[in-house]
């Protein structure tokens, strides 16, 4: 049976109510970028500025990027009076305070509620994430450290600060984490009770490189984009992800534990090391099938003439995982990809059976808009019982979200791995 269906992909940020508290720090200008990014990701962002924040930026800055009213202390005593902070606090899915000054952290740690943001934080029942930003000495001061310890103990998620150039002109730990990374943290926190909560997944991505000599290697055109998107989609559903990455320059999705590998052999070792604790494996990596049998220790020189390079097969990682399943009784789900330039379904079905997979995503790499090194993909999902599901051309994040949804349904039947 073949059927087409259109898909609507949701990320954890979409249609979420996010309260963005902005406090007095020069990093306020980055908070406007963060508000913009959160809004573009589909969240409804209500910004609360402290008086000190307004020395750096205006409510209008935030209103212009969120399309919603930004609140200040005037609103605490305004027409909505006592209900505003309760309303904001109770309806929020996440309170994100970025930048969080030493003063605001001290207030939160001590339950002081003398401005709209602080009083709203007391009323909030949602997760709270703070991104401290201050001078290095203020951050390392025992008072700030004690306040952060109290907040962490209470379940507040503290992200950063990081090391770098500070407003004082000095270098040190005190810079706010960049907006794009804070967006990732917000996404992770909002996704953590998704359908893969408490599950651990191993995702491989990118191409492997097989050395010919110290400077040359056999590789492939894989960008790693699909695998990284799968890791992000798994985090979006609450999974803990080990991302085993071949050669790629992509940024690690926030929340993923990344293991960098180079060769097929290294990838196999990393996969087999992570598998015992995992509930599933997605092999999106483009693993080299052949490698030089005897890589040269020294650089091959021209004067030696055209080299003859003898190849040997690399380990088939999914085949090793299939054996591991039989030998150990490991019950996790395995998902493979089939990159084909002809006889897509026949070849994919053969791989599904040979590698004992729970699902295979077949993609026709001869199409210019799908597969290697482009942002879109068109895949067909094949299931062991014979079902075939054709997905339309989508971007790789959408493909990943659909695939993870399908995997979550399969994994729901599998007992949790408690190892
Ligand atoms: N794979 C693997 N180990 C390898 C090669 C591939 O685990 N040495 C995995 C890939 O990550 C993918 C699936 O097997 O999930 C199919 O990979 P593909 O390259 O399409 O097929 P191969 O098994 O390598 O067979 P062929 O190259 O002959 O099509």
């Amino acid at each position: 049976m073949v059927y087409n269906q259109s898909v609507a992909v949701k990320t954890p940020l979409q249609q979420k109510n996010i309260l963005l508290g902005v406090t007095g720090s020069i990093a306020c200008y980055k908070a406007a970028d963060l508000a913009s990014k959160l809004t573009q990701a589909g969240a409804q962002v209500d910004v609360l500025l402290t008086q000190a924040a307004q020395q750096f930026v205006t409510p209008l800055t935030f209103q212009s990027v969120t399309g919603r009213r930004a609140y200040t202390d005037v609103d605490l005593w305004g027409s909505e009076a006592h209900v505003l902070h309760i309303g904001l606090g109770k309806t929020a899915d996440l309170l994100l305070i970025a930048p969080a000054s030493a003063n605001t952290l001290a207030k939160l740690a001590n339950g002081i509620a003398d401005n709209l943001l602080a009083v709203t934080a007391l009323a909030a029942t949602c997760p709270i994430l703070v991104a401290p930003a201050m001078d290095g000495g203020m951050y390392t001061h025992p008072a700030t450290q004690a306040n952060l310890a109290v907040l962490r103990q209470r379940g507040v998620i503290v992200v950063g600060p990081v090391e770098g150039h500070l407003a004082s002109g000095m270098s040190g730990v005190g810079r706010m984490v960049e907006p794009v990374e804070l967006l990732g943290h917000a996404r992770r926190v909002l996704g953590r009770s998704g359908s893969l909560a408490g599950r651990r997944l191993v995702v491989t991505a990118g191409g492997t490189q097989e050395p010919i000599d110290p400077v040359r290697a056999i590789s492939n055109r894989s960008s790693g984009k699909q695998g990284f998107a799968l890791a992000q989609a798994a985090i979006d559903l609450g999974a803990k992800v080990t991302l085993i990455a071949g050669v790629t320059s992509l940024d690690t999705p926030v929340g993923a534990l990344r293991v960098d590998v180079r060769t097929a052999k290294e990838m196999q070792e990393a996969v087999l090391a992570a598998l015992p604790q995992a509930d599933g494996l997605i092999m999106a990596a483009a693993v080299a099938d052949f490698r030089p049998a005897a890589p040269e220790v020294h650089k091959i020189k021209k004067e030696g003439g055209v080299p003859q390079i003898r190849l040997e097969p690399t380990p088939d990682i999914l085949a090793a995982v299939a054996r591991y399943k039989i030998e150990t009784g490991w019950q996790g789900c395995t998902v493979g990809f089939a990159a084909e330039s002809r006889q897509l379904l026949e070849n994919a079905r053969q791989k599904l059976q040979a590698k004992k997979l729970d699902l295979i995503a077949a993609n026709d790499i001869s199409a210019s808009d799908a597969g290697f090194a482009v942002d879109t993909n068109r895949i067909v999902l094949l299931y062991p019982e014979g079902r075939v599901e054709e997905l339309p051309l989508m971007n790789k994040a959408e493909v990943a979200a659909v695939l993870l949804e399908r995997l979550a349904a399969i994994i729901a039947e599998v007992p949790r791995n408690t190892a």
Side-chain angles (χ1 to χ4, degrees):
M1 178 181 50
V2 176
Y3 65 90
N4 278 292
Q5 60 181 70
S6 63
V7 278
V9 173
K10 273 183 79 178
T11 75
L13 289 164
Q14 271 157 14
Q15 285 154 18
K16 292 289 165 53
N17 295 320
I18 296 184
L19 289 181
L20 176 60
V22 182
T23 75
S25 152
I26 182 57
C28 278
Y29 79 94
K30 292 188 185 173
D33 183 26
L34 176 58
S36 171
K37 284 188 163 65
L38 289 165
T39 305
Q40 287 175 52
Q44 283 165 6
V45 185
D46 287 314
V47 179
L48 284 71
L49 292 100
T50 63
Q51 272 189 350
Q54 288 175 76
Q55 303 296 316
F56 294 96
V57 274
T58 68
L60 183 63
T61 310
F62 290 96
Q63 282 165 195
S64 306
V65 293
T66 64
R68 296 168 72 82
R69 176 138 178 252
Y71 298 99
T72 65
D73 284 351
V74 173
D75 299 298
L76 183 58
W77 311 112
S79 55
E80 291 175 67
H82 58 286
V83 291
L84 176 65
H85 60 283
I86 304 289
L88 288 174
K90 291 275 180 280
T91 55
D93 295 298
L94 175 69
L95 169 58
L96 171 52
I97 305 179
S101 65
N103 185 36
T104 292
L105 293 173
K107 288 183 189 183
L108 296 182
N110 292 287
I112 295 171
D114 65 347
N115 64 29
L116 180 62
L117 174 60
V119 79
T120 304
L122 272 188
T125 49
C126 61
I128 300 178
L129 199 157
V130 297
M134 65 200 71
D135 196 55
M138 292 171 72
Y139 175 65
T140 52
H141 193 285
T144 306
Q145 290 302 313
N147 290 331
L148 284 168
V150 166
L151 291 172
R152 280 198 189 93
Q153 203 185 10
R154 242 181 246 156
V156 171
I157 301 145
V158 181
V159 179
V162 289
E163 195 170 352
H165 174 79
L166 301 173
S168 60
M170 293 187 289
S171 259
V173 178
R175 273 174 77 87
M176 189 179 85
V177 165
E178 291 301 317
V180 67
E181 209 181 311
L182 290 175
L183 190 84
H185 282 280
R187 194 168 173 167
R188 179 180 60 79
V189 172
L190 288 167
R192 65 186 177 184
S193 55
S195 54
L196 287 173
R199 297 290 191 169
R200 285 173 287 182
L201 290 185
V202 179
V203 179
T204 68
T208 62
Q209 268 190 3
E210 308 301 329
I212 295 171
D213 70 11
V215 291
R216 304 178 183 93
I218 296 180
S219 192
N220 58 61
R221 290 173 50 227
S222 169
S223 63
K225 284 179 183 167
Q226 187 61 77
F228 275 57
L230 287 158
Q232 178 66 69
I235 293 165
D236 284 350
L237 294 180
K240 287 223 175 335
V241 173
T242 300
L243 175 58
I244 300 175
V247 181
T248 163
S249 55
L250 296 175
D251 290 333
T252 313
V254 171
L257 173 69
R258 177 170 176 165
V259 180
D260 283 304
V261 296
R262 193 169 163 216
T263 63
K265 183 170 174 281
E266 284 172 20
M267 185 170 277
Q268 169 156 312
E269 284 164 5
V271 166
L272 292 176
L275 224 50
Q277 289 82 38
D279 296 283
L281 165 70
I282 307 178
M283 276 295 300
V287 187
D289 288 324
F290 304 103
R291 66 184 170 205
E296 297 293 335
V297 178
H298 298 290
K299 187 181 170 205
I300 299 170
K301 304 297 280 179
K302 275 204 289 279
E303 49 265 31
V306 178
Q308 300 292 312
I309 300 168
R310 198 168 59 79
L311 300 179
E312 65 179 13
T314 58
D316 187 316
I317 301 172
L318 278 176
V321 171
R323 287 195 299 276
Y324 174 79
K325 259 184 157 178
I326 294 167
E327 285 161 14
T328 64
W330 181 73
Q331 289 183 295
C333 285
T334 49
V335 179
F337 273 73
E340 306 293 345
S341 56
R342 58 189 169 175
Q343 295 172 309
L344 182 69
L345 295 184
E346 294 84 323
N347 283 331
R349 191 167 292 117
Q350 194 273 327
K351 285 176 189 171
L352 176 76
Q353 284 160 2
K355 302 189 187 213
K356 301 202 173 2
L357 302 174
D358 297 284
L359 178 62
I360 196 160
N363 62 336
D364 179 356
I365 51 161
S366 63
S368 60
D369 54 3
F372 281 13
V374 291
D375 289 328
T376 49
N377 214 349
R378 185 186 290 107
I379 62 168
V380 184
L381 300 177
L382 287 88
Y383 298 81
E385 76 280 4
R387 192 155 58 93
V388 175
E389 182 181 7
E390 264 181 37
L391 300 176
L393 184 72
M394 292 187 284
N395 68 46
K396 287 184 173 174
E398 292 169 330
V399 168
V402 176
L403 208 145
L404 261 299
E405 239 175 54
R406 304 295 186 269
L407 177 61
I410 300 170
I411 261 186
E413 308 296 320
V414 176
R416 245 162 236 281
N417 187 342
T418 52

